[in-house]
Amino acid sequence: MSILILAEHDNASIKGATLNTVAAAKAIGGDITVLVAGEACGAAAEAAAKIEGVSKVLVADNAAYGHQLAENVSLLVAELGKDYAYILAPATTNGKNTLPRAAALLDVAQISEIISVESADTFKRPIYAGNVIATVQSSDAIKVITVRTTAFDAVAAEGGSASVEAVASAHDAGNSSYVREEVAKSDRPELTAASIVVSGGRGMQNGDNFAMLYSLADKLGAAVGASRAAVDAGFVPNDMQVGQTGKIVAPGLYIAVGISGAIQHLAGMKDSKVIVAINKDEDAPIFQVADYGLVADLFDAVPELDSSL
Amino acid sequence: MKVLVAVKRVVDYNVKVRPKSDGTGVDLNNVKMAINPFCEIAIEEAVRLKEKGVVTEIVAVSIGAKVCQEQIRTALALGADRGILVETDVEVQPLAIAKLLKAVVDKEEPKMVILGKQAIDGDNNQTGQMLAALTGMSQGTFASEVVVEGDTVTVTREVDSGSQVVKLNLPAVVTTDLRLNEPRYASLPNIMKAKKKPLDTMTPEDLGVDVTPRVTTLKVEPPAERQAGIKVADVAELVDKLKNEAKVI
């Protein structure tokens, strides 16, 4: 069986989400090809060739794929994907944008955000914001799948030696164009890749108070996240949101500060290995999932924690 | 210009759903149903575009059993002009929904189709992208801002790294994210008026679409429960536990 993976990359490097997706492909089993579609993306393709378990890398280096617009990349994926039994992508905003479009072009269903591989055609995936796990079976000849990255341990980024092959086909649908991107700049690790995450909720009271969390995060080498309540209240920008409708994280340590633990937030972090909750409300639902709960005023506890590290 | 808005009937977002004990499905007996929150945002956006004079007509479409009329009436009360129900008792999956919507698009020829980015029951996040593929339209998914200028629409998209702005030729498909707008409540007079607005019904057969499911749900179950841990007395104990017991710092 052959598996095509649409790589998550920024032309210069391969993103970690690709490594989790390769892990899901290994769980399915088969010959793994990674497609790097971009512009001046040679470095990303070389990095993809080193990923453990990958046998071939296809590089589609063309201006039409420069910003990985779904209209163009989906045409490429549909063209190449015809020859594969599986087409996978990480369930990042990029993967979610492009893969369903490719699936429809191939006239096959997509199975979104799988969390486990049960057999060649059967997978588990969360529905109802993670409150229910469904086991689903596909009857399509080509199985198009997005992968919830936190559910699969990343394979090694080094050690492989795949062949690299250029793909000539340039698809330009000509109906969309990239204008600009506003990337949140930060020296801290990326939320979805960090081994420690410190998150703040409505209890932080305002955006300025997040300075406490930044200080704590810098001591721990952690990323900083937020609950939807904190984002909606305007304390911090939305790319910091952890939850069902934000980012799904599963770090080794998750510290929830002033977060009550709404279902939608829990859906985004409950697979973390160790969860710490600091909240002054001892009945807050977050304590039901926390390994270590501290009932305290965060404005006392966080500075104390910071100074004791 | 004409806008088509798709609306889905789902379990109300405040309801905590549970799998049936035999694992055959989710228990929907006596559960409050509502319009999918992302679809509500889609209607609101269409109504705002109409209030700005950009949009002239809003057509709300729903696909499913007869009861989905309720959600179409809600859309009409919020400002849609007329409704279309594609009535079927089959469990329609995203690809089939996209094909049905494409058939409606072929008839109605809207300049823009606005959908929620996902429904809060299936969490698939596919239909808008699939509809765009089948119609050959451009797509602006996970939108947090939509600006129509002449024959183009500029969409700000919520992406993992922050936000991305794309310019799309019309006709286009737009899918809504949470921060696009805050939907209004329907007023009582508008709810009354909505009852008189036209609502057409058709079937998948009328539209010539095969809606046979491609994916079978074998089982549903609750997620693995996470065991609650312990309460620590103070920061010193927390630091001690994290260092010596969990060994994570």
Side-chain angles (χ1 to χ4, degrees):
Chain A
M1 279 186 294
S2 55
I3 304 172
L4 180 68
I5 295 176
L6 179 62
E8 181 87 5
H9 70 93
D10 61 3
N11 293 322
S13 65
I14 288 288
K15 298 283 186 182
T18 307
L19 306 178
N20 304 96
T21 309
V22 173
K26 286 179 83 175
I28 293 169
D31 202 39
I32 301 173
T33 300
V34 171
L35 169 62
V36 177
E39 186 182 13
C41 55
E46 274 171 42
K50 293 187 188 135
I51 298 172
E52 178 203 336
V54 175
S55 54
K56 196 202 286 185
V57 174
L58 297 176
V59 201
D61 192 333
N62 191 285
Y65 309 132
H67 295 285
Q68 300 176 40
L69 294 170
E71 292 84 351
N72 301 346
V73 177
S74 62
L75 290 168
L76 176 69
V77 173
E79 182 206 328
L80 300 174
K82 288 196 305 285
D83 302 329
Y84 292 82
Y86 298 86
I87 305 173
L88 271 60
T92 53
T93 45
N94 225 348
K96 289 175 183 174
N97 190 35
T98 301
L99 218 60
R101 190 165 179 127
L105 292 173
L106 290 164
D107 193 27
V108 298
Q110 175 180 295
I111 300 180
S112 296
E113 303 224 16
I114 62 162
I115 56 170
S116 78
V117 176
E118 301 295 302
S119 73
D121 63 1
T122 305
F123 310 90
K124 286 193 179 188
R125 58 177 302 264
I127 56 175
Y128 289 94
N131 286 304
V132 179
I133 306 298
T135 304
V136 296
Q137 186 176 35
S138 163
S139 60
D140 279 316
I142 303 173
K143 294 173 188 16
V144 175
I145 295 167
T146 62
V147 174
R148 180 164 289 193
T149 53
T150 54
F152 294 89
D153 289 332
V155 300
E158 301 280 336
S161 55
S163 61
V164 179
E165 203 176 287
V167 176
S169 52
H171 293 278
D172 189 350
N175 55 2
S176 64
S177 57
Y178 167 90
V179 179
R180 65 175 181 277
E181 204 154 49
E182 278 144 34
V183 178
K185 287 250 181 292
S186 169
D187 296 334
R188 296 185 191 91
E190 253 185 82
L191 256 179
T192 50
S195 57
I196 303 179
V197 172
V198 180
S199 280
R202 200 197 299 272
M204 297 304 296
Q205 294 181 1
N206 59 49
D208 293 341
N209 288 336
F210 266 75
M212 288 195 308
L213 303 189
Y214 296 132
S215 166
L216 179 62
D218 289 342
K219 277 204 178 159
L220 293 166
V224 178
S227 70
R228 184 174 151 199
V231 172
D232 282 353
F235 300 172
V236 289
N238 66 44
D239 53 278
M240 285 173 65
Q241 184 185 323
V242 172
Q244 175 66 17
T245 52
K247 295 199 168 84
I248 312 279
V249 302
L253 172 61
Y254 188 88
I255 304 178
V257 181
I259 291 176
S260 64
I263 291 170
Q264 99 87 28
H265 185 75
L266 301 183
M269 48 63 82
K270 67 180 167 52
D271 293 328
S272 305
K273 291 198 177 60
V274 175
I275 297 175
V276 169
I278 300 173
N279 200 304
K280 66 180 174 191
D281 173 9
E282 63 177 315
D283 296 323
I286 189 80
F287 287 121
Q288 290 164 20
V289 300
D291 298 283
Y292 303 110
L294 175 59
V295 180
D297 187 332
L298 69 93
F299 295 100
D300 299 326
V302 173
E304 194 185 337
L305 179 57
D306 190 323
S307 60
S308 61
L309 291 173
Chain B
M1 67 180 200
K2 187 196 280 187
V3 166
L4 201 72
V5 180
V7 294
K8 185 175 183 187
R9 176 185 173 90
V10 298
V11 172
D12 186 273
Y13 74 98
N14 287 310
V15 173
K16 178 150 170 57
V17 297
R18 285 172 215 288
K20 290 183 201 161
S21 52
D22 62 3
T24 54
V26 171
D27 191 356
L28 296 178
N29 272 332
N30 300 317
V31 167
K32 188 183 174 204
M33 303 298 281
I35 209 164
N36 177 47
F38 291 102
C39 302
E40 211 172 354
I41 294 171
I43 299 162
E44 177 66 31
E45 195 63 19
V47 173
R48 290 187 188 192
L49 287 169
K50 194 176 173 193
E51 286 167 349
K52 280 185 201 156
V54 175
V55 166
T56 49
E57 188 185 24
I58 302 169
V59 182
V61 187
S62 192
I63 296 164
K66 202 173 197 77
V67 283
C68 296
Q69 283 186 0
E70 291 173 20
Q71 279 61 49
I72 296 176
R73 290 289 172 205
T74 306
L76 296 172
L78 290 167
D81 297 295
R82 59 189 172 91
I84 296 173
L85 171 65
V86 181
E87 194 178 326
T88 173
D89 289 324
V90 176
E91 178 222 334
V92 273
Q93 296 179 345
L95 182 62
I97 296 171
K99 288 180 179 179
L100 291 168
L101 290 174
K102 181 196 182 281
V104 174
V105 165
D106 288 345
K107 280 177 183 264
E108 296 283 340
E109 299 182 336
K111 278 283 189 186
M112 189 152 66
V113 186
I114 313 181
L115 307 89
K117 74 165 180 180
Q118 68 190 67
I120 60 167
D121 49 3
D123 286 335
N124 285 303
N125 196 333
Q126 300 173 9
T127 303
Q129 296 88 316
M130 287 181 158
L131 174 63
L134 298 176
T135 55
M137 289 188 195
S138 50
Q139 68 184 55
T141 52
F142 327 142
S144 61
E145 198 185 354
V146 174
V147 181
V148 178
E149 291 160 307
D151 278 337
T152 64
V153 57
T154 301
V155 178
T156 305
R157 308 178 51 235
E158 294 194 16
V159 296
D160 290 332
S161 55
S163 62
Q164 183 195 54
V165 182
V166 290
K167 193 169 183 181
L168 312 173
N169 295 350
L170 294 173
V173 171
V174 170
T175 77
T176 63
D177 217 320
L178 279 179
R179 288 171 199 86
L180 181 57
N181 60 51
E182 239 176 86
R184 70 196 66 191
Y185 292 98
S187 67
L188 190 58
N190 284 342
I191 292 171
M192 300 310 289
K193 263 190 252 169
K195 291 181 180 168
K196 296 204 182 80
K197 289 184 179 174
L199 199 170
D200 288 338
T201 299
M202 49 192 82
T203 64
E205 294 72 41
D206 295 339
L207 296 169
V209 176
D210 174 11
V211 295
T212 311
R214 308 287 188 89
V215 177
T216 313
T217 299
L218 302 178
K219 184 173 72 169
V220 299
E221 60 197 322
E225 286 279 325
R226 198 183 166 101
Q227 295 296 316
I230 57 161
K231 292 258 171 75
V232 293
D234 51 31
V235 170
E237 190 188 348
L238 175 62
V239 173
D240 175 64
K241 293 282 187 194
L242 291 179
K243 277 191 174 147
N244 302 316
E245 193 175 89
K247 297 188 168 66
V248 284
I249 59 171

